[in-house]
Amino acid sequence: MQKIPYNIPDAILFDLDNTLCTFIDAKLAACRAVVEHLGAGDENELFEYFLRPVHSFEDNHHILDYIDEKKITTPTDTSQITRLFEEVKIAHVTPYPGVHETLSHLSGQGIKMAVVTDASMPQAIRRLHKCNLAQYFQAVVTPDKSGRSKPDPASFILALDELQVSGTIWLVGDSIRREVLPGNQLGFVTVYARYGDYFSCNNPDCSPSYIIDRFPDLLELEGLNSIKKTG
């Protein structure tokens, strides 16, 4: 980890899934609910379908492909199955420990904050409200708005435009490829949320400014640890 004295940020951009809130665990729980409902299949095998480049990671057509290719007879129509998947997934989405307290402190210090995610806008808003996090962010940017998915810089640049901010920008995310690499290229202070990276074995060679293993560790980093703490 670099030992560079960074300034207090003018704004912080946060990834959503696996950075602010659990998501892979929620998706696995939803896969488990589907195979239990079907009475056939394997939850991990179904989850692997979502990792294919055939559809986006959020696309429930992966479920339909799985059912079709495994020749599974469904007890209900497929719309009920995908609805079950979404209901179980959102029920299992929760903020990581210390997220509320950390964001509340940063917000109280007047730091502008935005969420930059590859989830669709409806999905992102639903998760933020489920976790009671929406009030901390002045902007939410998704590919629906920017027209591009990460690691393309378009969403990050749009977030800064919406925040109407420049200067020292921090970017916090669980993906080296989708957050740290483009963040470094844009001149941001990059914080790798290693605790949420389920695919770390696929990481390219890259050096984030900081690495954290718990979300509250953010406040201990140089540049943020000089902010007056209250309570």
Side-chain angles (χ1 to χ4, degrees):
M1 187 188 305
Q2 298 177 19
K3 298 295 184 181
I4 301 174
Y6 292 111
N7 295 327
I8 294 172
D10 295 287
I12 306 178
L13 310 182
F14 291 92
D15 176 48
L16 176 60
D17 300 325
N18 304 313
T19 298
L20 296 175
C21 61
T22 60
F23 187 63
I24 297 297
D25 289 345
K27 197 138 188 164
L28 282 167
C31 288
R32 182 163 56 252
V34 166
V35 299
E36 289 175 355
H37 177 77
L38 294 173
D42 177 83
E43 63 193 76
N44 293 309
E45 189 176 38
L46 175 55
F47 178 79
E48 290 290 330
Y49 265 61
F50 284 90
L51 302 180
R52 306 175 307 160
V54 180
H55 312 292
S56 73
F57 187 60
E58 294 273 16
D59 197 327
N60 287 338
H61 279 91
H62 291 292
I63 301 172
L64 307 185
D65 289 349
Y66 181 76
I67 291 170
D68 180 60
E69 292 176 18
K70 299 300 177 181
K71 296 179 170 44
I72 298 172
T73 302
T74 62
T76 54
D77 66 67
T78 54
S79 65
Q80 292 186 40
I81 294 169
T82 55
R83 186 163 56 249
L84 170 67
F85 181 88
E86 288 297 325
E87 290 172 352
V88 173
K89 183 176 70 175
I90 193 64
H92 283 78
V93 169
T94 58
Y96 283 104
V99 165
H100 276 284
E101 294 82 357
T102 303
L103 293 179
S104 177
H105 178 72
L106 294 172
S107 179
Q109 301 303 314
I111 296 175
K112 293 184 176 182
M113 296 186 286
V115 165
V116 181
T117 176
D118 276 347
S120 68
M121 184 61 74
Q123 291 275 16
I125 295 301
R126 191 179 186 197
R127 289 170 203 161
L128 284 169
H129 283 288
K130 166 64 167 55
C131 296
N132 193 29
L133 297 176
Q135 69 270 22
Y136 299 118
F137 301 102
Q138 291 79 54
V140 177
V141 176
T142 71
D144 312 50
K145 277 187 171 184
S146 69
R148 295 287 187 273
S149 296
K150 296 182 284 187
D152 190 287
S155 289
F156 303 119
I157 294 170
L158 180 56
L160 297 183
D161 288 343
E162 293 201 357
L163 291 177
Q164 297 184 323
V165 68
S166 60
T168 300
I169 310 301
W170 287 39
L171 173 59
V172 184
D174 67 283
S175 173
I176 292 291
R177 184 182 68 85
R178 296 190 305 116
E179 282 101 37
V180 175
L181 276 171
N184 284 350
Q185 292 165 359
L186 289 166
F188 297 165
V189 175
T190 52
V191 182
Y192 172 42
R194 183 164 55 187
Y195 59 84
D197 190 354
Y198 286 76
F199 307 107
S200 57
C201 59
N202 299 324
N203 278 341
D205 185 24
C206 177
S207 297
S209 307
Y210 295 118
I211 298 172
I212 57 174
D213 289 308
R214 301 181 315 123
F215 192 83
D217 290 346
L218 194 61
L219 295 181
E220 303 305 319
L221 303 181
E222 188 69 33
L224 287 179
N225 63 5
S226 57
I227 296 175
K228 182 180 178 182
K229 294 184 179 180
T230 58

